[in-house]
């Protein structure tokens, strides 16, 4: 019987990438990644794992209960954030849809109770559902952090991990480093050493 513990779906198999401690949006983008050996992970795969990540990043109170529709909104924003980070890292212009999605998240948090008008009750004021309000706040905070990253000086050192097929984002905080973790760096160095040995044999 195999006694190896099952991987924790709320914990990534790699440590946070360089820069994730400075930008929650970068760590948010890295909540899903493709890894070698046809492996991958998604820290927003379920409401439970999404709640764990949001609470760990002070984006939601531990007692807020998320539903699948809420988590789908998070995953959708993540897709758009990744598209914007990839465009900045590649030096290309992103599609309009990711820009619109981030701007919509930035402006979706109401500053006051909204005005409603019922057929029998007439006009009134209503506050958003607590869960919706919490999710909107998290989305707005992540969107604002994304905008700060993309428009600040750190955008010039934004990169995608250079150890394919890993597609995590990072800030090149140490010289010419282009990989997100020691594991990816070791794989790059091993591949280079193998290529050199192969070249000397021919």
């Amino acid at each position: 019987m195999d006694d190896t513990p099952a991987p924790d779906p709320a914990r990534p198999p790699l440590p946070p990438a360089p820069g994730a401690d400075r930008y929650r949006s970068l760590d948010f983008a890295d909540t899903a990644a493709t890894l070698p050996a046809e492996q991958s992970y998604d820290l927003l795969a379920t409401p439970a794992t999404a709640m764990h990540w949001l609470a760990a990043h002070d984006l939601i109170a531990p007692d807020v209960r998320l539903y699948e529709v809420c988590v789908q909104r998070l995953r959708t924003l993540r897709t758009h954030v990744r598209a914007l980070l990839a465009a900045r890292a590649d030096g290309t212009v992103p599609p309009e849809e990711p820009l619109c999605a981030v701007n919509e998240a930035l402006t979706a948090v109401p500053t006051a109770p909204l005005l409603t008008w019922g057929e029998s009750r007439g006009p009134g004021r209503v506050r958003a559902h607590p869960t919706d309000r919490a999710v909107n706040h998290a989305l707005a905070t992540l969107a604002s952090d994304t905008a700060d990253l993309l428009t600040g000086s750190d955008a010039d050192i934004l990169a995608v991990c250079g150890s394919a097929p890993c597609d995590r984002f990072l800030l090149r905080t140490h010289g010419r480093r282009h990989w997100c973790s020691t594991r990816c760096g070791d794989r790059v160095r091993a591949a280079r050493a193998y290529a050199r040995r192969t070249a000397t044999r021919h």
Side-chain angles (χ1 to χ4, degrees):
M1 181 177 178
D2 186 1
D3 293 328
T4 303
D8 185 348
R11 293 181 177 275
L14 296 173
D21 58 332
R22 291 154 62 180
Y23 295 96
R24 284 182 286 189
S25 57
L26 193 150
D27 206 35
F28 176 59
D30 286 345
T31 55
T34 300
L35 303 176
E38 299 183 355
Q39 295 181 334
S40 62
Y41 67 83
D42 185 350
L43 303 184
L44 306 180
T46 68
T49 58
M51 286 170 58
H52 177 88
W53 189 88
L54 290 170
H57 289 76
D58 297 322
L59 290 167
I60 202 168
D63 59 343
V64 174
R65 181 180 177 185
L66 293 186
Y67 300 92
E68 177 57 32
V69 64
C70 306
V71 181
Q72 182 57 50
R73 293 178 64 199
L74 285 165
R75 290 193 292 260
T76 298
L77 181 64
R78 179 182 63 192
T79 297
H80 293 310
V81 168
R82 287 183 62 85
L84 294 177
L85 297 188
R88 184 61 179 85
D90 294 340
T92 58
V93 178
E96 189 69 23
E97 186 179 1
L99 284 171
C100 291
V102 167
N103 284 328
E104 183 178 332
L106 279 169
T107 57
V109 179
T111 58
L114 301 178
L115 176 65
T116 62
W117 204 295
E119 290 186 9
S120 59
R121 292 177 147 183
R125 303 290 293 272
V126 63
R127 293 188 179 275
H129 186 277
T131 298
D132 288 335
R133 190 163 63 240
V135 173
N136 286 343
H137 173 75
L139 293 173
T141 301
L142 290 167
S144 179
D145 193 79
T146 299
D148 288 341
L149 170 56
L150 292 172
T151 59
S153 59
D154 286 333
D156 292 333
I157 56 173
L158 177 66
V160 180
C161 183
S163 180
C166 182
D167 57 359
R168 296 209 305 167
F169 294 94
L170 68 142
L171 295 183
R172 298 191 309 273
T173 53
H174 295 91
R176 305 174 87 178
R177 173 176 172 167
H178 278 257
W179 48 84
C180 70
S181 66
T182 300
R183 183 190 299 183
C184 283
D186 289 344
R187 191 164 58 251
V188 169
R189 284 187 285 269
R192 288 173 181 169
Y194 176 78
R196 285 194 297 268
R197 288 195 303 270
T198 302
T200 57
R201 292 173 187 164
H202 297 284

